[in-house]
């Protein structure tokens, strides 16, 4: 038994008044009671967390674990542990591996491998099309039975609209949704940076905002027409997030996530750094105005989740001239701090609850019904708990990461607000 | 006076005084060469490697001749037969290998934007000179263009420079815009809309879609090659249609100012952006640009490799 002593409690929706003790027994949360009100027997490990905030375990619905076929970049083992140390208790593994996760057997492989390693719970997602070729639907029903929680062509958009529409209808009664990587493949082809000031000055091929917006509008149109939910991942532009806001106001069942890097880094970083490839990512880093629009959307409840899109590469694939380097930012082990730090720098003007929902009940709602409970902290629930200290200051040191990634834009930066203790199914990993 | 720049990536971090220093030194070198060349400064014992990952005729040869004028050793590293191309050696290891053998300056041409910056981050001692990085920058071209125009006009203050054609993908345009503006010129651009960056205002230029009108108003008419090899879709439907709207013909030029000159970074595509009569005509400074390229590069090598001019 573990007692988390003197914590503030964020239950998934609200930050409760007062301090509490949380008693964990086995895999479950036994009691959440006012501080000092529980009479404890022997054998309780008491952890004093006075004033820190206990939250439902954080969920990241967009993580690249690279296994199978890219184990030099990351493995399920290293990624699950990295996630745990980053404060996450549940992560969704993307299916753009080699081979892609496009069969029930491969879904089972990810699921079983995840269960065999220490760290965050690994939930598989499935490739929407066989071989990620964008032509034929995968065996989605069998894959759902094996544990697939989302279907996506991530890394690429679902190019054929007929295939996307068919997948949405096929999944309609299964309670599992499509996650779309919004991009027009022709507009973004060979794109390196945002189309704007930086592309004009550098000559680097720009990816226009319209590339994202066209696909987002397509998803909204289909969702409205079919009355089927769809999730749009890594929204990066003002135009796209505004389109999603309007659709939501209208009642369209669209959900979305944004990444820590699109919320904190702008396109100017590419120039300021002399084309440092750590800033190369898709969708590209956008403008200050886009960043403001994304925060505004967080404030207004338009954003459902923060997801890292943790995309680890080996240093030999990343530390290259900008145009030759791979696209992707690794952030699993500092993402929570990046967000809490940005929230702090913005004067803590957004209620903390709104930020914490994006790591908990928000992403849980994107997952199938049976995982919704992971987004809440309550007696009798699974003891997935992330405790954060919003005042803790620490420096990002990528050389200490459990992830195999050795490059990240935040390396060496001092950030304020970190996860300080994480329990997965009642367990503390040492 | 010591030269304050360690590497040459682009002219954006240069001052007008930096450019003027290059112009003065180039002019001095030109004078010495006209007198038989005996008094040229020497960089004997220094070694330059022409590190060209992309094809080039004039820039590579120009650097080679410039280096030899100053008594430098020159290595023309051949990309196609290198261990990098054939044996999978990384760029980083290739650079460290060359540096270990004593190379003092790496002149790099690459299709990758930012390759010179990357190389400078990896090299410990050698200097890097950007001889064109993808669609980004080509500062030595800009300096030779400025030198050529400066020789012709005396001062570039208040002169109007028209840069026309494939601005979007032109490293020459980007560096020339920066350079000419620093010298006090006004730069206008012209070309079809799909060859102009959407955010061209970030470059500090005015866009004039009417090429003939832009020609009439300008002192320097700088034409760019249509870089078809870089296009994803055919941005121009035909060479002939392009020539009719944005090509510089004798007829277009007839309306130009009396003092106007025509420049082009080469290679030229006759009958597309420039008519043969214009390329070979008396307003053309194209071959003078090429000749000056050697002088400007000699001046740059001298500044970067520790001569005190």
């Amino acid at each position: 038994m573990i007692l988390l002593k003197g914590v503030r409690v964020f239950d998934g929706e609200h930050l409760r008044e007062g301090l509490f003790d949380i008693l964990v027994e086995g895999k479950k949360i036994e009691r959440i009671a006012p501080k000092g009100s529980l009479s404890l027997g022997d054998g309780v490990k008491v952890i004093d967390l006075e004033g820190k905030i206990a939250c439902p375990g954080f969920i990241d619905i967009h993580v690249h674990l690279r296994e199978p076929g890219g184990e030099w970049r990351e493995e399920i083992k290293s990624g699950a542990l990295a996630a745990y140390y980053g404060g996450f208790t549940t992560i969704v593994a993307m299916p753009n591996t080699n081979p892609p996760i496009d069969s029930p057997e491969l879904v089972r492989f990810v699921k079983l491998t995840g269960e065999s390693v220490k760290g965050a719970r690994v939930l598989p997602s499935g490739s929407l099309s066989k071989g990620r070729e964008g032509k034929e639907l995968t065996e989605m029903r069998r894959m759902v039975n094996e544990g697939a929680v989302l279907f996506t062509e991530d890394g690429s958009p679902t190019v054929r609209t007929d295939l996307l529409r068919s997948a949405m209808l096929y999944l309609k009664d299964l309670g599992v949704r499509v996650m779309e990587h919004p991009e027009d493949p022709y507009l973004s082809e060979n794109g390196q940076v945002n189309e704007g000031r930086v592309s004009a000055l550098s000559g680097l091929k720009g990816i226009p905002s319209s590339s994202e917006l066209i696909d987002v509008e397509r998803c909204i149109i289909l969702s409205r027409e079919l009355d089927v939910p769809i999730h749009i991942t890594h929204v990066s532009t003002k135009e796209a997030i505004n389109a999603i806001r309007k659709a939501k106001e209208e009642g369209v069942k669209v959900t979305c996530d944004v990444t820590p890097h699109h919320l904190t880094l702008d396109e100017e970083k590419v120039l300021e750094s002399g084309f440092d490839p750590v800033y190369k990512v898709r969708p590209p880093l956008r403008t200050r105005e886009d960043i403001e629009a994304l925060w505004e959307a967080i404030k207004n409840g338009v954003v459902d989740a923060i997801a890292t899109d943790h995309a680890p590469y080996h240093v030999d694939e990343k530390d290259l001239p900008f145009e030759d380097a791979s696209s992707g930012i690794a952030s699993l082990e500092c993402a929570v701090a990046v967000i809490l730090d940005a929230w702090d720098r913005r004067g803590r003007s957004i209620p903390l609850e709104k930020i914490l929902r994006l790591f908990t009940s928000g992403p849980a709602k994107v997952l199938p019904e049976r995982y919704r409970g992971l987004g809440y902290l309550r007696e009798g629930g699974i003891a997935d708990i992330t405790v954060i200290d919003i005042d803790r200051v620490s420096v990002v040191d990528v050389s200490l990461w459990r992830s195999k990634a050795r490059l990240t834009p935040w390396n060496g930066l001092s950030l304020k607000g970190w996860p300080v203790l994480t329990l997965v199914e009642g367990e503390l990993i040492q | 006076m010591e030269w304050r720049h360690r590497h040459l990536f682009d002219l954006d971090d240069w001052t007008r005084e930096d450019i003027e220093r290059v112009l003065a030194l180039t002019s001095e070198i030109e004078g010495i060469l006209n007198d038989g060349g005996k008094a040229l400064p020497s960089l004997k014992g220094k070694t330059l490697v022409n590190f060209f990952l992309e094809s080039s005729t004039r820039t590579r040869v120009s650097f080679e001749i410039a280096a030899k004028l100053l008594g430098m050793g020159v290595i023309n590293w051949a990309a196609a037969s290198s261990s990098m191309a054939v044996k999978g050696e990384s760029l980083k290891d290739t650079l460290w290998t060359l540096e270990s053998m004593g190379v003092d300056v790496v002149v790099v041409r690459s299709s990758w934007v930012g390759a010179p910056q990357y190389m400078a981050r990896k090299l410990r001692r050698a200097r890097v000179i950007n001889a064109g990085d993808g669609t980004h920058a080509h500062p030595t071209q800009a300096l030779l263009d400025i030198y050529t125009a400066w020789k012709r006009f005396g001062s570039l203050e208040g002169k109007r420079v028209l840069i026309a054609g494939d601005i979007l993908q032109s490293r020459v345009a980007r560096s020339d815009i920066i350079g000419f503006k620093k010298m006090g010129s006004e730069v206008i651009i012209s070309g079809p809309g799909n060859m102009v960056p959407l955010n061209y205002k970030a470059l500090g230029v005015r866009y004039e879609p009417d090429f003939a009108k832009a020609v009439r108003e300008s002192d320097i008419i700088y034409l760019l090659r249509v870089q078809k090899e870089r296009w994803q879709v055919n941005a121009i439907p035909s060479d002939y249609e392009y020539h009719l709207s944005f090509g510089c013909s004798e007829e277009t030029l007839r309306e130009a100012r009396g003092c106007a000159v025509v420049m082009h970074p080469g290679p030229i595509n006759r009958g597309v952006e420039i008519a043969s009569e214009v390329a070979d005509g008396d307003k053309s400074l194209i071959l003078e640009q090429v000749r000056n390229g050697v002088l400007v590069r000699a001046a740059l090598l001298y500044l970067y490799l520790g001569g005190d001019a």
Side-chain angles (χ1 to χ4, degrees), chain B residues 1 16 38 47 59 99 126 148 198-199 217 240 308:
Chain B
M1 192 172 70
R16 179 166 173 164
K38 291 212 176 66
T47 305
T59 306
E99 191 173 49
T148 305
L198 209 53
N199 287 60
E217 295 172 349
Y240 185 57
D308 24 40

Side-chain angles (χ1 to χ4, degrees), chain A residues 347-405:
Chain A
R348 300 189 173 187
S349 59
I350 299 174
L352 183 59
E353 297 175 330
K354 288 197 174 185
I355 305 292
L356 297 178
R357 279 176 207 151
L358 304 178
F359 287 112
T360 56
S361 56
K365 284 173 195 156
V366 176
L367 296 175
E369 189 66 44
R370 67 179 184 283
Y371 293 107
R372 301 273 156 93
L374 294 178
Y376 300 89
L377 197 70
R378 54 166 199 266
E379 290 183 350
I382 293 274
D384 279 8
I385 301 174
T386 299
V387 181
I388 58 166
D389 178 350
I390 57 173
D391 297 313
R392 182 189 158 91
V393 175
S394 185
V395 174
V396 179
D397 183 352
V398 76
S399 70
L400 302 175
W401 280 13
R402 286 81 181 172
S403 164
K404 291 191 172 185

Side-chain angles (χ1 to χ4, degrees), chain B residues 47-65:
Chain B
T47 305
L48 172 147
V49 59
N50 266 326
F51 196 85
F52 279 55
L53 295 153
E54 214 188 31
S55 62
S56 162
T57 302
R58 70 210 77 233
T59 306
R60 187 178 57 75
V61 174
S62 177
F63 266 107
E64 181 167 358
I65 295 174

Side-chain angles (χ1 to χ4, degrees), chain B residues 3-4 13 59 71 80 85 87 100 107 109 114 140 145 160 190 237 243 250 252 261 270 283-284:
Chain B
W3 184 243
R4 65 191 186 92
D13 60 346
T59 306
K87 300 177 184 172
S100 298
V107 174
R109 159 71 58 93
T140 66
D145 291 336
R160 187 174 287 152
S190 186
H243 188 65
E250 266 192 307
T252 330
V261 294
R270 291 170 184 264
K283 283 187 177 302
S284 167

Side-chain angles (χ1 to χ4, degrees), chain B residues 13 75 77 93 100 131 133 162 169 173 274 278 289 303-304:
Chain B
D13 60 346
I75 291 150
W77 177 82
D93 291 309
S100 298
D133 63 325
L162 162 66
Q169 306 187 96
I274 191 166
V278 173
Q289 286 172 269
L303 287 172
Y304 277 89

Side-chain angles (χ1 to χ4, degrees), chain A residues 79-88 119-120 421-424 427-430:
Chain A
L81 201 59
Y84 174 82
Y85 280 95
F88 295 100
L421 181 133
T422 305
L423 293 180
V424 183
E427 215 182 321
L428 259 179
I429 296 170
Q430 307 293 346

Side-chain angles (χ1 to χ4, degrees), chain A residues 39 55 65 97 101 119 166 192 281 292 322 338 343 359 369 371:
Chain A
S39 50
C55 312
L65 296 180
T97 49
I101 309 304
S166 182
Q192 303 284 321
V281 66
E292 289 310 313
F322 193 89
V338 166
W343 168 74
F359 287 112
E369 189 66 44
Y371 293 107

Side-chain angles (χ1 to χ4, degrees), chain B residues 121-265:
Chain B
R121 284 196 284 269
K122 297 301 164 195
L123 290 166
R124 288 139 189 163
R125 187 183 50 82
R127 309 297 186 100
V128 174
I129 290 181
N130 182 7
D133 63 325
T135 46
H136 176 223
H138 196 352
T140 66
Q141 177 71 46
L143 289 167
L144 75 88
D145 291 336
I146 290 166
Y147 182 74
T148 305
W150 176 70
K151 275 276 163 181
R152 170 60 66 108
F153 291 101
S155 163
L156 297 175
E157 190 70 51
K159 290 282 174 289
R160 187 174 287 152
V161 183
L162 162 66
I163 302 182
D166 190 355
I167 309 288
L168 184 63
Q169 306 187 96
S170 174
R171 56 188 170 216
V172 173
R174 280 185 187 80
S175 288
D176 275 62
I177 288 169
I178 295 170
F180 275 105
K181 281 173 55 93
K182 290 205 174 190
M183 293 306 291
S185 304
E186 181 201 348
V187 180
I188 57 177
I189 58 172
S190 186
N194 58 1
M195 288 188 182
V196 171
L198 209 53
N199 287 60
Y200 67 85
K201 284 182 183 146
L203 303 170
V205 297
R206 179 160 67 82
Y207 172 47
E208 174 50 69
D210 182 345
F211 175 68
K213 180 164 180 275
V215 166
R216 285 198 296 276
E217 295 172 349
S218 300
D219 301 296
I220 295 162
I221 298 152
Y222 198 104
L223 305 166
L224 298 170
R225 184 174 65 85
V226 173
Q227 301 187 67
K228 286 186 191 165
E229 71 278 13
R230 295 191 197 272
W231 287 107
Q232 208 165 296
V233 290
N234 65 327
I236 59 166
S238 76
D239 289 351
Y240 185 57
E241 175 160 307
Y242 183 83
H243 188 65
L244 289 178
S245 310
F246 297 99
C248 191
S249 64
E250 266 192 307
E251 203 186 335
T252 330
L253 209 52
R254 209 167 291 138
E255 304 286 314
R257 292 176 176 174
C259 64
V261 294
V262 174
M263 297 175 72
H264 193 301

